[in-house]
Amino acid sequence: QKEVEQNSGPLSVPEGAIASLNCTYSDRGSQSFFWYRQYSGKSPELIMSIYSNGDKEDGRFTAQLNKASQYVSLLIRDSQPSDSATYLCAPTVGGATNKLIFGTGTLLAVQP
Amino acid sequence: NAGVTQTPKFRILKIGQSMTLQCTQDMNHNYMYWYRQDPGMGLKLIYYSVGAGITDKGEVPNGYNVSRSTTEDFPLRLELAAPSQTSVYFCASSYSVRNRYSNQPQHFGDGTRLSIL
């Protein structure tokens, strides 16, 4: 059974702080990793993708990947109240089919 | 550019009724997917398609059917609605896999909120 584990939260951080979201996955064959943001009642929105071990930065977001440890994380710098949402970690499974497996998500609450 | 469009946005069904959830995309994506999301849960894959005429089961296919006659459209059919199918349904699409080590991200529609009473 392929699984993705995320702390469900809520993770509460003050405005301007760094939010750290973590994810572990069970399928060693996963090659690509995506982070989606989902506001309450809305659809998932892609915010980051990472394919290689190490860090990838995009604006205030940094994704980190360690395939040996089967661990991926998302850092949000200078957190804003508008970042308050559920963050879904999604590794690929099934190779060429591009299928994703989703964690249950971490609810982030940024306090003004 | 509309992206992925789902209709209807909301629907209430009675037990035993049938309906089709529509999904269309205008990005010329080969791959399309149907998910369901129950409250407080992650998305579960129902069915997917890697091209017109090709469909396959996902993690939770029971009670659903799909077809893919064109690249743009991927409808999801519920034949005998049951209360357990009350959920939010999302359709997504993506380009084909770029290479073995670099998958393409999926892009989601706005969802259909379905209640079965």
Side-chain angles (χ1 to χ4, degrees), chain A residues 2-108:
Chain A
K2 298 170 183 175
E3 294 181 341
V4 175
E5 298 287 340
Q6 294 183 257
N7 189 324
S8 61
L11 173 65
S12 184
V13 300
E15 185 175 354
I18 296 175
S20 178
L21 307 166
N22 304 316
C23 171
T24 59
Y25 60 95
S26 64
D27 186 2
R28 286 195 172 274
S30 294
Q31 293 291 340
S32 304
F33 303 84
F34 302 97
W35 282 97
Y36 287 86
R37 178 176 62 199
Q38 187 174 27
Y39 292 112
S40 180
K42 301 296 185 182
S43 62
E45 171 192 10
L46 178 72
I47 55 171
M48 285 289 288
S49 59
I50 187 166
Y51 305 102
S52 305
N53 283 330
D55 296 356
K56 179 182 178 183
E57 185 175 320
D58 184 0
R60 295 186 296 111
F61 299 98
T62 299
Q64 300 173 316
L65 175 61
N66 183 327
K67 290 185 179 179
S69 300
Q70 295 176 253
Y71 173 85
V72 59
S73 67
L74 180 70
L75 300 177
I76 306 175
R77 291 181 300 279
D78 189 23
S79 295
Q80 300 297 310
S82 59
D83 294 326
S84 298
T86 296
Y87 289 81
L88 303 171
C89 171
T92 53
V93 293
T97 62
N98 217 35
K99 291 189 295 184
L100 299 175
I101 182 168
F102 284 85
T104 55
T106 297
L107 177 61
L108 174 64

Side-chain angles (χ1 to χ4, degrees), chain B residues 41-63:
Chain B
M41 303 296 289
L43 287 83
K44 300 291 187 185
L45 182 64
I46 304 171
Y47 270 95
Y48 67 99
S49 168
V50 297
I54 306 170
T55 64
D56 207 348
K57 295 177 181 178
E59 192 179 357
V60 289
N62 291 344

Side-chain angles (χ1 to χ4, degrees), chain B residues 48-100:
Chain B
Y48 67 99
S49 168
V50 297
I54 306 170
T55 64
D56 207 348
K57 295 177 181 178
E59 192 179 357
V60 289
N62 291 344
Y64 307 95
N65 280 298
V66 293
S67 59
R68 183 96 182 269
S69 57
T70 67
T71 298
E72 294 78 18
D73 301 307
F74 190 39
L76 178 71
R77 179 85 176 162
L78 282 72
E79 290 294 349
L80 289 171
S84 61
Q85 294 176 306
T86 293
S87 190
V88 180
Y89 292 83
F90 290 105
C91 178
S93 69
S94 75
Y95 286 113
S96 305
V97 173
R98 186 184 309 155
N99 60 54
R100 180 183 172 187

